[in-house]
Amino acid sequence: MFENLDPDKKERILNAALAEFAHKEYADASTNNIVTTAQISKGILFRYFGNKKNLYLYLYKYVRNVIDNEIYSQVDTDKGDLIFILKELGIRKLEVYKRHPDVAGFIAQTKREKSSEVYEDLMSIERERSSQLRENYLFNNLDMTLFKPEFRNENTIKLIRWTLDGCTKELQENYKGQDIQDPAIDELLKDYDLYIDIIRQAFYCR
Amino acid sequence: MFENLDPDKKERILNAALAEFAHKEYADASTNNIVTTAQISKGILFRYFGNKKNLYLYLYKYVRNVIDNEIYSQVDTDKGDLIFILKELGIRKLEVYKRHPDVAGFIAQTKREKSSEVYEDLMSIERERSSQLRENYLFNNLDMTLFKPEFRNENTIKLIRWTLDGCTKELQENYKGQDIQDPAIDELLKDYDLYIDIIRQAFYCR
DNA sequence: AATATATTGACCACGCTGGTCACTGATGAT
DNA sequence: ATCATCAGTGACCAGCGTGGTCAATATATT
């Protein structure tokens, strides 16, 4: 049904729903807003998903899949190189955010969600999600000898992760809204490399 | 009227309103929710503030004042020591968030606000706010000789700011919700110092 | 006791909600 | 040309939560 829809339309619906659920809790999000921004009729949305709850949960599973398949499982952890891993992660994230700008906001919102209507289901989807292991595994087999001796500790790792999160977030803000020309994104990735190099200089052996 | 209220009650109302406006846009925020969490009657809220819009704008001015007076103007910039400045900023922020946990969320929400009902007024309050100059000024007269030679550039400054923002945010999350015992906050500030030291080691001359 | 002031919460008209369904338009088979 | 099938529309529904009011009550002051 919904799955084999014209891809343009499909993406319009997904993104409209993501935008609505990204900044509002489940109960406050409006299906009317979704259909208007997606430029479809109310009826067809409910034919596709049955009801609001199904749409919401479909969206959550969809987004989790995208994140797991296109971000986490694509990162090469063999060398245990923290900065390399974070760089790869950042690039993949930027690519996903380009297609779905509100993915991060939506996930953040689901973490705050307490509505009894969907809370349980969110939890059980989360329980079944196997690759969340990988999300943590990424940072469990790091080669600490890459760091200067004084930085071979957990706190430094946390700190570097915050730094690159901040960087990714900033870069995402920069091209949110504007039409992403491929040259523009290359520009962004150059900036990204620049910050990565500073961190490498600061914390890695020379 | 509202100003010379029993301080407990005053704070209950302010925090209830902050909590409601922090995660919902103006139009979606409910005065009913505010009065219930503040444990006051609907009537008295509207006697104090007249209407929703006045409450919202009062809150914005109040929060801006708190931020300007208790955070930005308290920081000693004389030495031009970036890391010292950021550390001071972080501590002040944590102290304000202790009294008003939703200040940061509320300010973030106002930046997204597009409701025509309040947008103009927010803008004009912002225009009159003189100390917003200081907010930037903090980082305009830095002593770059404190940094190792290879880090004397704008990008490093941005990067360090992101890092400590991330750190502050993390620490705030840690004691959000839980009752803040003074020993617990000392514990937190120790952690804070720990991260600050790492950054100093990494970027400052030895 | 009398007056003034602070506070309550039931009440209102109204707008928006999730969801439905009789209808339309398009496609393709005969 | 006729019909059957089915994707898609949007006016419509009962119900709920909205910002705001105000007569009634509790409290403080004289």
Side-chain angles (χ1 to χ4, degrees):
Chain A
M1 262 296 6
F2 175 72
E3 302 285 355
N4 0 332
L5 219 55
D6 165 45
D8 273 8
K9 196 177 192 177
K10 201 174 152 190
E11 196 158 298
R12 247 166 41 224
I13 297 175
L14 288 171
N15 281 341
L18 278 173
E20 182 70 10
F21 285 121
H23 291 300
K24 297 182 185 180
E25 50 188 277
Y26 175 77
D28 291 344
S30 149
T31 53
N32 286 344
N33 288 348
I34 295 174
V35 300
T36 337
T37 51
Q39 293 170 278
I40 57 167
S41 74
K42 191 100 166 269
I44 203 63
L45 183 78
F46 280 84
R47 169 179 282 279
Y48 290 152
F49 296 102
N51 57 41
K52 188 182 173 181
K53 182 173 168 180
N54 280 348
L55 165 62
Y56 184 80
L57 295 175
Y58 176 89
L59 210 59
Y60 187 69
K61 286 179 213 156
Y62 173 83
V63 164
R64 273 303 182 202
N65 265 326
V66 169
I67 291 176
D68 288 340
N69 298 335
E70 301 187 30
I71 299 182
Y72 289 113
S73 36
Q74 294 299 320
V75 174
D76 173 18
T77 64
D78 291 351
K79 284 174 293 184
D81 180 342
L82 174 67
I83 296 182
F84 173 79
I85 291 173
L86 289 174
K87 178 185 170 175
E88 289 287 297
L89 265 183
I91 293 173
R92 311 262 178 247
K93 279 184 189 174
L94 286 175
E95 270 161 5
V96 169
Y97 296 164
K98 184 168 56 171
R99 254 187 307 136
H100 295 305
D102 294 297
V103 159
F106 174 66
I107 291 291
Q109 184 61 250
T110 60
K111 285 181 184 158
R112 266 183 255 135
E113 191 63 63
K114 263 143 203 157
S115 153
S116 58
E117 187 128 18
V118 292
Y119 183 78
E120 288 302 331
D121 300 80
L122 279 183
M123 294 282 278
S124 84
I125 293 172
E126 205 55 14
R127 250 178 269 118
E128 285 171 29
R129 195 165 69 92
S130 55
S131 13
Q132 75 190 120
L133 297 171
R134 182 164 173 86
E135 208 168 323
N136 299 319
Y137 173 78
L138 286 181
F139 304 106
N140 280 347
N141 286 62
L142 297 177
D143 178 2
M144 299 303 282
T145 66
L146 294 171
F147 295 83
K148 291 176 187 164
E150 65 267 38
F151 294 130
R152 292 175 187 167
N153 57 64
E154 287 299 316
N155 287 318
T156 302
I157 295 178
K158 274 209 248 175
L159 193 132
I160 294 177
R161 291 181 62 178
W162 292 333
T163 308
L164 279 170
D165 282 354
C167 184
T168 310
K169 211 170 285 179
E170 173 87 358
L171 293 184
Q172 197 206 342
E173 286 302 315
N174 274 7
Y175 73 93
K176 202 176 186 177
Q178 52 175 297
D179 259 333
I180 322 102
Q181 313 285 7
D182 275 16
I185 212 184
D186 279 357
E187 205 64 34
L188 272 180
L189 290 181
K190 258 181 227 159
D191 274 4
Y192 202 60
D193 277 335
L194 213 137
Y195 293 115
I196 298 267
D197 278 341
I198 296 176
I199 296 173
R200 195 173 273 129
Q201 257 186 88
F203 294 102
Y204 270 16
C205 297
R206 330 244 53 230
Chain B
M1 266 292 10
F2 174 74
E3 303 286 354
N4 2 329
L5 219 55
D6 165 44
D8 272 9
K9 195 176 191 175
K10 201 175 151 188
E11 196 159 296
R12 246 167 40 226
I13 297 175
L14 288 172
N15 281 342
L18 278 174
E20 182 68 11
F21 286 121
H23 291 300
K24 296 181 185 180
E25 50 189 273
Y26 176 77
D28 291 343
S30 149
T31 54
N32 285 345
N33 288 349
I34 295 173
V35 300
T36 339
T37 50
Q39 291 170 279
I40 57 168
S41 73
K42 191 98 168 271
I44 202 60
L45 183 78
F46 279 86
R47 169 176 283 282
Y48 290 152
F49 296 102
N51 56 43
K52 188 183 174 182
K53 182 174 166 177
N54 280 347
L55 165 61
Y56 183 80
L57 295 175
Y58 176 91
L59 209 61
Y60 188 70
K61 287 180 212 155
Y62 173 84
V63 164
R64 272 302 180 200
N65 265 326
V66 169
I67 291 176
D68 288 339
N69 299 334
E70 301 185 32
I71 299 181
Y72 289 113
S73 35
Q74 296 297 322
V75 175
D76 174 17
T77 63
D78 290 353
K79 284 176 291 183
D81 180 341
L82 174 67
I83 295 182
F84 174 80
I85 291 172
L86 289 175
K87 178 185 170 175
E88 288 287 298
L89 265 185
I91 294 173
R92 312 265 177 244
K93 278 184 188 174
L94 285 175
E95 271 161 4
V96 169
Y97 295 165
K98 183 168 56 172
R99 256 187 307 136
H100 296 304
D102 294 298
V103 159
F106 174 66
I107 292 291
Q109 183 62 248
T110 62
K111 285 179 184 160
R112 263 182 259 134
E113 190 62 62
K114 264 141 205 162
S115 151
S116 58
E117 189 129 15
V118 292
Y119 183 78
E120 288 301 330
D121 300 79
L122 279 182
M123 293 284 277
S124 84
I125 294 172
E126 206 54 14
R127 251 178 268 119
E128 285 171 26
R129 195 165 69 93
S130 55
S131 12
Q132 75 191 120
L133 296 170
R134 182 165 172 84
E135 209 169 320
N136 298 319
Y137 173 77
L138 287 180
F139 304 105
N140 280 347
N141 285 63
L142 297 178
D143 178 0
M144 298 303 284
T145 66
L146 294 171
F147 295 84
K148 290 178 188 164
E150 65 267 37
F151 295 130
R152 292 176 186 165
N153 56 63
E154 286 298 316
N155 287 319
T156 302
I157 295 178
K158 276 208 251 177
L159 192 133
I160 294 178
R161 292 181 62 179
W162 292 333
T163 307
L164 280 169
D165 282 353
C167 183
T168 310
K169 209 169 286 178
E170 172 87 357
L171 293 183
Q172 195 205 344
E173 285 302 315
N174 274 6
Y175 75 92
K176 203 176 188 176
Q178 53 175 298
D179 259 334
I180 323 97
Q181 314 284 7
D182 275 14
I185 212 186
D186 279 357
E187 204 65 34
L188 271 182
L189 289 182
K190 256 180 231 160
D191 273 4
Y192 202 60
D193 277 336
L194 213 138
Y195 292 115
I196 298 267
D197 278 341
I198 295 175
I199 296 174
R200 195 173 274 127
Q201 257 187 89
F203 294 103
Y204 270 18
C205 296
R206 330 243 53 226

